[in-house]
């Protein structure tokens, strides 16, 4: 009999804690998984108590997912190497800007037979251009990495409201294993092999959501927002085709939860839309609003727009992506937020 698979969740924010609820419950029902789940928690002081102590005693992440109990078999660990030691399955769910440093810390305490899944929505730019977060994990840790992306606002998942999500996996056996770890009746998973497109959708939709938030701040109405979503989806598809390693982008992937569904939910809910709306209404900077509105969470959309913009600049393709470009220029170059409407008016019918 093979030993049960040990699970480590790398990250414990809003989304990480919602996923920990699912994993903690599922491992108790399926014998192939070890019953105790380690969750790496960045240690913080909450009213004089360590966050890890609160989670391990009260079984609630009072900072990032208040009001929802975590299963008692989910154990918060403040040291990353201790949390990941000998893990067989690693679930990565941290802001994308931290992933390189965290992978470097874990090298040596995780076997290359381990398997990973990234729930991280973002991309990175290396010296040679676009880098997917799963590629960074793969290269630094030498393990196979699947991705999970979908229309999954964390508090709704925690409240066990029905939603769908998509696992992209180049190794379908691993994708199906993670489906077994993560699926519930109210968290329904489809596994596809077009993993790079699944991951790109998760990153790029946050840029579009910032554009949708700008339109909300300008009180443009639902017709304009629908145009932002459609034109944003066109740019997402065009960008995925441009930057796929082998040109093999399956259009059907955009009809999965990771594509159009995640785009819609993020443009109507989610933190990127909310902060962008406040930006358009108040004139405060993105950084100020992030600090005021997000309780320590990080915003992904503006940073992803900057990474995408620099890649488009390198390739001389800025003009082909007017919506992505407008979001970047409004966030970082002081362009007036009304430019969002100008970019829609002049958007080409086909990219």
């Amino acid at each position: 009999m093979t030993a049960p698979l040990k699970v480590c969740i790398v990250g414990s924010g809003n989304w990480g804690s919602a996923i920990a609820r699912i994993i903690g419950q599922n491992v108790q029902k399926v014998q192939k998984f070890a019953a105790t789940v380690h969750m790496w928690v960045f240690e913080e002081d909450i009213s004089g108590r360590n966050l890890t102590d609160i989670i391990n005693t009260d079984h609630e992440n009072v900072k990032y997912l208040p009001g929802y109990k975590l299963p008692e078999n989910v154990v918060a660990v403040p040291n990353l190497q201790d949390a990941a030691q000998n893990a067989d399955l690693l679930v990565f769910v941290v802001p994308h800007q931290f992933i390189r440093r965290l992978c470097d810390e874990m090298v040596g305490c995780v076997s290359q037979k381990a398997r990973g899944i990234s729930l991280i929505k973002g991309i990175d730019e290396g010296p040679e251009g676009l880098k997917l977060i799963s590629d960074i994990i793969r290269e630094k840790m030498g393990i196979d990495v699947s991705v999970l992306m979908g229309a999954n606002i964390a508090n709704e998942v925690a409240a066990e409201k029905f939603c769908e999500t998509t696992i992209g996996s180049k190794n379908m056996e691993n994708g199906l294993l993670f489906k077994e770890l993560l699926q519930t009746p109210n968290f329904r998973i489809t596994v596809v092999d077009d993993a790079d497109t699944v991951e790109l959708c998760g990153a790029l939709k946050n840029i579009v959501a910032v554009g949708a938030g700008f339109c909300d701040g300008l009180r443009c109405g639902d017709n304009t927002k629908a145009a932002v979503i459609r034109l944003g989806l066109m740019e997402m598809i065009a960008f995925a085709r441009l930057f796929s390693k082998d040109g093999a982008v399956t259009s059907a992937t955009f009809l999965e939860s990771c594509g159009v569904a995640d785009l819609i939910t993020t443009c109507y809910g989610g933190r990127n839309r909310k902060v962008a709306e406040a930006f358009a209404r108040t004139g405060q900077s993105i950084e100020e609003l992030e600090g005021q509105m997000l309780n320590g969470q990080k915003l992904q959309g503006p940073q992803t727009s900057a990474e995408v913009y620099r890649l488009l600049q390198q390739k001389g393709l800025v003009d082909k992506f007017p919506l992505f470009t407008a979001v970047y220029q409004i966030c970082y170059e002081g362009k007036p937020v009304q430019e969002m409407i100008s970019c829609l008016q002049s958007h080409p019918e086909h990219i």
Side-chain angles (χ1 to χ4, degrees):
M1 169 110 178
T2 53
L5 299 167
K6 291 183 185 166
V7 181
C8 171
I9 304 167
V10 181
S12 57
N14 187 231
W15 187 208
S17 298
I19 281 295
R21 277 171 57 83
I22 289 175
I23 292 174
Q25 288 163 12
N26 280 357
V27 297
Q28 295 177 68
K29 299 174 197 160
V30 182
Q31 284 190 319
K32 73 167 66 167
F33 303 119
T36 299
V37 175
H38 282 174
M39 177 169 75
W40 173 66
V41 174
F42 178 76
E43 193 66 279
E44 297 181 61
D45 183 284
I46 310 288
S47 306
R49 292 175 73 194
N50 284 344
L51 183 56
T52 50
D53 292 340
I54 295 170
I55 291 171
N56 289 334
T57 308
D58 304 342
H59 307 292
E60 183 182 349
N61 187 335
V62 293
K63 178 157 187 187
Y64 295 110
L65 194 67
Y68 295 99
K69 287 289 183 191
L70 296 171
E72 293 188 12
N73 59 321
V74 173
V75 177
V77 183
N79 179 289
L80 179 58
Q81 291 187 344
D82 291 346
Q85 194 70 43
N86 301 323
D88 300 296
L89 302 175
L90 292 154
V91 179
F92 294 90
V93 54
V94 291
H96 80 277
Q97 48 268 49
F98 302 138
I99 194 63
R100 288 176 183 275
R101 181 168 55 79
L102 296 176
C103 286
D104 288 340
E105 271 188 56
M106 277 186 282
V107 169
C109 61
V110 174
S111 149
Q112 295 198 335
K113 293 196 187 81
R115 287 159 278 194
I117 189 164
S118 170
L119 280 61
I120 299 168
K121 295 181 172 176
I123 50 175
D124 196 78
E125 41 174 344
E128 65 294 339
L130 175 75
K131 262 240 186 304
L132 297 171
I133 301 302
S134 63
D135 286 337
I136 295 170
I137 300 169
R138 215 172 270 121
E139 287 168 19
K140 285 188 169 286
M141 300 190 65
I143 62 174
D144 183 71
V145 186
S146 304
V147 296
L148 180 146
M149 306 281 151
N152 309 139
I153 289 174
N155 285 56
E156 295 181 16
V157 173
E160 297 178 27
K161 294 179 177 176
F162 177 83
C163 68
E164 299 177 307
T165 199
T166 311
I167 286 178
S169 192
K170 293 171 186 183
N171 177 323
M172 285 302 273
E173 188 186 336
N174 290 346
L176 292 167
L177 177 64
F178 280 111
K179 176 176 179 173
E180 208 174 343
L181 178 69
L182 292 161
Q183 181 161 268
T184 74
N186 285 322
F187 191 66
R188 193 170 71 182
I189 297 172
T190 304
V191 184
V192 301
D193 61 5
D194 188 8
D196 290 353
T197 305
V198 171
E199 187 167 2
L200 270 175
C201 283
L204 298 174
K205 56 96 194 188
N206 282 330
I207 306 176
V208 186
V210 173
F214 290 156
C215 288
D216 286 344
L218 294 167
R219 296 182 170 86
C220 293
D222 286 336
N223 294 345
T224 306
K225 193 145 140 184
V228 169
I229 292 170
R230 189 188 78 81
L231 295 169
L233 181 61
M234 281 173 60
E235 291 194 15
M236 286 168 61
I237 295 168
F239 189 92
R241 290 206 167 117
L242 259 176
F243 288 93
S244 74
K245 297 181 192 74
D246 45 16
V249 171
T250 311
S251 296
T253 304
F254 291 94
L255 298 176
E256 296 290 350
S257 181
C258 62
V260 69
D262 195 8
L263 180 60
I264 291 167
T265 199
T266 311
C267 287
Y268 279 90
R271 64 188 86 152
N272 289 282
R273 187 218 63 79
K274 184 168 78 170
V275 173
E277 178 182 14
F279 175 91
R281 289 196 177 167
T282 66
Q284 289 179 270
S285 73
I286 293 286
E287 291 75 20
E288 287 171 323
L289 292 164
E290 184 182 61
Q292 289 167 24
M293 298 174 69
L294 295 185
N295 187 33
Q297 291 176 289
K298 292 290 174 203
L299 208 59
Q300 301 296 314
Q303 185 164 345
T304 304
S305 80
E307 287 153 355
V308 164
Y309 183 76
R310 285 193 285 270
L311 291 163
L312 292 174
Q313 260 189 324
Q314 284 165 20
K315 296 189 177 281
L317 291 168
V318 167
D319 294 346
K320 298 264 187 221
F321 292 85
L323 190 149
F324 287 178
T325 299
V327 168
Y328 165 75
Q329 291 176 334
I330 292 165
C331 287
Y332 293 104
E333 292 189 346
K335 277 255 173 114
V337 78
Q338 288 76 10
E339 288 287 316
M340 201 63 229
I341 309 306
S342 311
C343 102
L344 303 177
Q345 291 167 337
S346 59
H347 205 287
E349 288 178 35
H350 303 287
I351 301 179

